[in-house]
Amino acid sequence: MKVMVVGGGGREHTIIKKIKENKNVSEIFALPGNGGMKDDAVCTGIGAKDIDKIVEFAVDNKIDFAVVAPDDPLVLGCVDALEEKGIKCFGPRANAAIIEGSKVFSKNLMKKYNIPTAQYEVFTDKESALKYIESCPIPTVIKADGLALGKGVVIAMTRDEAKDAVISMMEDKIFGDSGSNVVIEEFLEGPEVSVLAFTDGKTLCPMVSSMDHKRALDGDKGLNTGGMGTIAPNPCYTEDVAKVCMETIFLPTMEAMNKEGRTFKGCLYFGLMITKNGPKVIEYNCRFGDPETQVVLPLLEGDLLEIMQAVADERLSEVEVKFSDKSACCVVMASNGYPGKYETGFEIKIDEKIDAQVFVAGAKLVDNKVVTGGGRVLGVVAVADTLENAVAKAYDNVKYVTFDNAFYRKDIGQRALNIIKEK
Ligand code: AMP
Ligand code: GLY
């Protein structure tokens, strides 16, 4: 069986390694992939947003199954275009990917179907947004409507910060058309939990919960990044919270999308905040999270490709989706300077003594050597019986991966371990 995975980061490397466990897979292609995946997939170099080329590649190579992992191609209709050519896919069509592609859509969906989320107002012109900020509760949260590389959210601690955010999104267009409309919403407080779920529109199977660490520096300081590390499971996501989420958020979201004629098939990502008034949705993503996937999939017992095929065929209820009760920790190693300016091109060396998985996010092949090629370079992932041991094991193994200008957070998992201790 020939499988292709659209995307080229650590999430895609994790998906590829897991799919490879299926004995029926003969070849696996990454579009574009990256130099650090060369032992696991044929990297094609075809860009993840180049829908025409992706479809052409799939047809020419008689691909049996495609996984579209990143948000951009999903929102651009990559799955629709592949399905038109008869290629089976894992991932939502564009009319369902809008749940991530438009914050105005997702907020209105939650309001219509009574799914708990922050109170909000939508603004289509700058003047009314600025007027609203004169008297809204502070802190407040300003969100660009469309995709903005995860940077379209500003938590404004003062009215001036809120106004600046509106001006930069709506007037200076720092996110292009993504900021033509903005959502201004209530500031919520509480621990955050990420839950990914497989769904085919009929059945929804949540995966093990996880916790992202978005800030660049220890103690959650520094700039927001694409994620500097993750742990799973998330200790804030108790059985009681999980039950409430299933009843008030997960199933109602799946059903709401069906009622809107936008059945969601694929991986639905729930970014949740556990507030004192119960769990609320901070954001939906139409895809696996990165770097959440790096800790969630290693805990999946069973065959990822089989589950993905069942989702595509709308028979998810017939397969078992089971997770081990172990814990996982991913420490992201990045290039010094990230998320700002950084240098690339440094050779990545991995000592054979390593006893952890390495999922590569940003690397290139130069003269047959794997060198750094991005801000987030790779994730070192360890699985163990307890979270404490998983964290210790991940950090023990980081020393076996070396490249010039490497930096990583030293406290991934500490917040979770403190929560476990306080329980
Ligand atoms: P996003 O880019 O949508 O993942 O949002 C980035 C981060 O902003 C989230 O992980 C939250 O920490 C924070 N955030 C988003 N919305 C709110 C809100 N309504 N209240 C408090 N924090 C928020
Ligand atoms: N880690 C957050 C995301 O994938 O959007």
Side-chain angles (χ1 to χ4, degrees):
M1 196 179 171
K2 287 177 158 187
V3 178
M4 71 179 213
V5 175
V6 176
R11 163 184 56 201
E12 287 76 12
H13 196 190
T14 314
I15 292 172
I16 285 168
K17 283 211 185 205
K18 198 76 192 171
I19 285 180
K20 271 183 65 180
E21 291 174 10
N22 182 303
K23 298 282 175 291
N24 297 323
V25 175
S26 55
E27 278 180 283
I28 184 152
F29 301 92
L31 291 75
N34 75 62
M37 300 179 186
K38 67 173 170 41
D39 297 334
D40 298 302
V42 177
C43 298
T44 64
I46 294 172
K49 288 198 259 184
D50 200 340
I51 308 296
D52 292 343
K53 287 226 175 81
I54 292 169
V55 174
E56 195 183 306
F57 179 87
V59 171
D60 289 352
N61 289 280
K62 301 197 168 50
I63 295 295
D64 299 296
F65 195 76
V67 178
V68 183
D71 45 2
D72 281 312
L74 290 166
V75 171
L76 289 169
C78 190
V79 167
D80 310 55
L82 287 165
E83 284 181 347
E84 258 173 45
K85 299 285 178 192
I87 290 159
K88 275 208 176 148
C89 293
F90 179 86
R93 294 183 184 155
N95 75 345
I98 191 174
I99 199 164
E100 173 170 3
S102 167
K103 291 222 164 34
V104 173
F105 171 84
S106 63
K107 294 299 291 190
N108 289 344
L109 184 86
M110 288 186 268
K111 186 188 256 179
K112 183 168 170 190
Y113 293 94
N114 271 322
I115 296 167
T117 188
Q119 299 286 325
Y120 71 101
E121 299 285 336
V122 173
F123 296 93
T124 53
D125 71 277
K126 188 188 68 181
E127 280 67 34
S128 354
L130 292 176
K131 185 152 180 275
Y132 175 80
I133 288 170
E134 295 290 346
S135 57
C136 75
I138 291 291
T140 188
V141 183
I142 324 284
K143 300 187 171 182
D145 177 35
L147 296 180
L149 296 170
K151 293 180 185 139
V153 175
V154 173
I155 313 283
M157 304 310 288
T158 64
R159 280 184 216 288
D160 282 344
E161 272 175 49
K163 283 182 194 162
D164 287 348
V166 163
I167 290 168
S168 57
M169 288 180 198
M170 301 188 90
E171 186 175 292
D172 305 340
K173 298 264 179 197
I174 56 165
F175 303 121
D177 285 342
S178 285
S180 299
N181 298 330
V182 299
V183 170
I184 302 187
E185 71 177 31
E186 176 197 4
F187 174 75
L188 297 177
E189 283 176 283
E192 285 183 58
V193 179
S194 309
V195 179
L196 317 180
F198 293 109
T199 175
D200 60 0
K202 297 174 179 160
T203 307
L204 182 139
C205 302
M207 302 181 218
V208 63
S209 61
S210 56
M211 182 192 285
D212 196 0
H213 298 68
K214 286 196 169 123
R215 300 298 189 115
L217 306 175
D218 286 6
D220 293 322
K221 304 229 162 58
L223 294 172
N224 244 331
T225 71
M228 293 300 295
T230 35
I231 56 96
N234 185 324
C236 303
Y237 193 69
T238 59
E239 264 175 47
D240 288 346
V241 172
K243 195 161 171 281
V244 174
C245 288
M246 193 69 173
E247 283 165 10
T248 65
I249 296 174
F250 304 163
L251 293 175
T253 301
M254 180 184 84
E255 278 151 18
M257 291 297 276
N258 286 338
K259 286 195 187 119
E260 294 295 306
R262 296 173 181 273
T263 294
F264 188 102
K265 286 165 60 175
C267 173
L268 186 50
Y269 170 126
F270 298 91
L272 306 168
M273 198 170 267
I274 316 300
T275 73
K276 60 179 192 311
N277 300 318
K280 295 193 179 184
V281 177
I282 288 282
E283 60 163 350
Y284 291 117
N285 291 328
C286 64
R287 51 172 175 85
F288 282 97
D290 190 340
E292 284 89 343
T293 306
Q294 287 87 317
V295 286
V296 169
L297 289 187
L299 297 176
L300 175 67
E301 290 181 336
D303 191 315
L304 176 62
L305 184 60
E306 254 176 33
I307 297 170
M308 288 178 155
Q309 287 175 301
V311 167
D313 296 340
E314 297 178 22
R315 46 175 184 78
L316 179 59
S317 64
E318 293 170 20
V319 295
E320 193 184 35
V321 178
K322 197 166 162 266
F323 284 82
S324 103
D325 52 16
K326 294 186 176 176
S327 297
C329 172
C330 169
V331 177
V332 169
M333 297 180 75
S335 302
N336 214 357
Y338 172 78
K341 274 199 181 145
Y342 53 83
E343 282 179 64
T344 60
F346 303 110
E347 187 175 357
I348 303 169
K349 292 192 184 134
I350 303 179
D351 192 309
E352 60 191 21
K353 289 201 217 67
I354 194 161
D355 180 23
Q357 301 200 66
V358 176
F359 300 121
V360 183
K364 300 180 281 198
L365 260 189
V366 176
D367 299 332
N368 224 18
K369 282 186 186 146
V370 181
V371 304
T372 60
R376 287 188 300 167
V377 176
L378 52 84
V380 175
V381 177
V383 173
D385 287 341
T386 63
L387 183 62
E388 194 170 8
N389 291 342
V391 171
K393 190 173 170 191
Y395 278 107
D396 265 352
N397 280 283
V398 161
K399 66 173 178 285
Y400 295 123
V401 182
T402 48
F403 55 88
D404 286 352
N405 281 11
F407 96 93
Y408 57 90
R409 273 181 63 163
K410 309 286 188 297
D411 66 343
I412 302 301
Q414 279 316 313
R415 193 153 29 100
L417 289 173
N418 290 341
I419 292 166
I420 293 172
K421 266 187 216 135
E422 281 163 18
K423 270 188 185 173

